[in-house]
């Protein structure tokens, strides 16, 4: 999957409800020059100029959580280990949801879906209207073949932001995985997905099916081994 991730500078305001979680701390606001530099770094990262983006961020103070968030994102896209501690440093701040989101993305990239689920569920609790977080949680659920939960997150992401083609692509993948080709075709048409994107969704769905078959076969072998061992265990 080619994830197209757009950086946003949405800040969680102090005093906002967090679904039973502790209230986020107040974060210092960047001055006008720093805002300009952050915007420039965002544009460079979105254009794929990760090294140039990081160079611009290195000229800004690390005590600003907005700087640490962007550094973490760029370093994660570079595959650098420094991303983890930076995301961790956001926990307990006004960008705690973004910190949990980033930690979840890092875990998912390692196929550690249990850890990814924990972080992404926390992120969604703190920022329930963030379509990116909803989509990424849905992807983790889908990789765990938790189909109803994945569908819920993709549908929520799409309704929160109708232009979220990534969530639509992921839902098409889910529908193809279920062999629901009619609904998949209708959604692909509504979301204006390209033939290449539909082919990508089909490829991902086939991989999920193959993975599910391997898991089922492995579980079947274990049950056979246990059954074969049972008689001798009673002697």
């Amino acid at each position: 999957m080619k994830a197209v991730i757009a950086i946003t500078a949405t800040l969680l305001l102090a005093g906002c409800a967090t679904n039973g979680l502790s209230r986020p701390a107040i974060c210092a606001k960047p001055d006008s020059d720093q805002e300009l530099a952050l915007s420039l770094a965002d544009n460079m990262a979105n254009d794929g100029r990760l090294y140039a983006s990081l160079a611009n961020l290195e000229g800004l103070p690390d005590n600003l959580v907005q700087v640490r968030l962007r550094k973490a994102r760029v370093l994660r896209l570079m595959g650098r280990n420094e991303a983890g501690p930076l995301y961790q440093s956001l926990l307990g701040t006004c960008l705690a949801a973004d910190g949990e989101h980033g930690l979840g993305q890092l875990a998912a990239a390692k196929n550690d879906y249990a850890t990814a689920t924990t972080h992404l569920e926390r992120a969604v609790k703190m920022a329930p209207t963030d379509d990116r977080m909803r989509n990424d949680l849905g992807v983790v659920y889908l990789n765990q073949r938790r189909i109803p939960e994945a569908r819920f997150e993709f549908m929520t992401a799409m309704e929160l932001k109708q232009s979220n083609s990534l969530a639509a692509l992921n839902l098409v993948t889910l529908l193809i995985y279920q062999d629901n080709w009619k609904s998949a075709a209708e959604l692909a048409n509504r979301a204006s997905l390209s033939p290449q994107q539909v082919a990508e969704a089909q490829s991902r769905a086939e991989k999920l099916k193959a993975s599910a078959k391997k898991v089922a076969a492995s579980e079947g072998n274990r049950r056979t081994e246990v059954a074969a061992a049972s008689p001798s265990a009673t002697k």
Side-chain angles (χ1 to χ4, degrees):
M1 180 181 67
K2 296 180 180 179
V4 181
I5 306 171
I7 283 186
T8 63
T10 304
L11 305 183
L12 298 177
L13 300 180
C16 291
T18 55
N19 293 338
L21 301 177
S22 59
R23 293 172 180 267
I26 297 175
C27 292
K29 185 177 180 180
D31 61 32
S32 58
D33 289 339
Q34 292 167 341
E35 287 279 12
L36 184 61
L38 289 171
S39 179
L40 178 61
D42 285 350
N43 292 335
M44 289 178 170
N46 291 334
D47 289 340
R49 299 164 60 195
L50 300 179
Y51 293 92
S53 177
L54 184 60
N56 276 271
L57 292 170
E58 286 174 345
L60 297 172
D62 275 338
N63 64 316
L64 287 174
V65 292
Q66 298 88 346
V67 174
R68 298 205 300 275
L69 173 60
R70 286 161 173 79
K71 278 188 177 180
R73 185 246 182 174
V74 170
L75 290 167
R76 175 175 60 80
L77 294 175
M78 287 180 173
R80 298 273 293 274
N81 293 330
E82 298 96 317
L86 283 172
Y87 280 127
Q88 192 74 33
S89 75
L90 299 176
L91 304 185
T93 74
C94 67
L95 296 182
D98 294 277
E100 295 285 8
H101 184 204
L103 291 171
Q105 289 174 307
L106 289 172
K110 299 176 182 177
N111 297 327
D112 183 357
Y113 298 125
T115 300
T117 298
T118 298
H119 287 299
L120 290 170
E121 286 180 345
R122 288 176 183 165
V124 166
K125 284 182 180 179
M126 288 186 279
T129 59
D130 191 305
D131 62 291
R132 303 163 307 139
M133 296 179 189
R134 290 281 191 176
N135 174 73
D136 290 353
L137 178 57
V139 170
V140 171
Y141 283 152
L142 181 57
N143 284 319
Q144 294 172 307
R145 290 173 293 282
R146 295 170 60 178
I147 303 304
E149 294 98 322
R151 180 186 178 89
F152 181 89
E153 297 303 331
F154 295 146
M155 290 293 295
T156 303
M158 289 169 59
E159 291 191 3
L160 285 170
K161 188 175 182 180
Q162 294 184 354
S163 61
N164 191 331
S165 61
L166 189 56
L169 177 62
N170 289 327
L171 184 53
V172 168
T173 300
L174 183 153
L175 291 169
I176 295 175
Y177 174 79
Q178 294 181 308
D179 291 323
N180 191 345
W181 289 92
K182 182 176 182 294
S183 295
E186 291 173 349
L187 176 58
N189 185 55
R190 289 199 309 272
S192 300
L193 299 181
S194 68
Q196 291 80 6
Q197 287 175 307
V198 175
E200 178 186 337
Q202 183 177 355
S203 175
R204 291 172 54 206
E206 293 302 327
K207 289 179 181 178
L208 282 169
K209 288 180 181 180
S211 176
K213 288 179 181 178
K214 287 182 181 179
V215 171
S218 177
E219 290 177 349
N221 290 337
R222 282 199 297 271
R223 283 195 294 269
T224 301
E225 290 171 0
V226 169
S230 295
S232 62
T234 61
K235 292 180 181 178

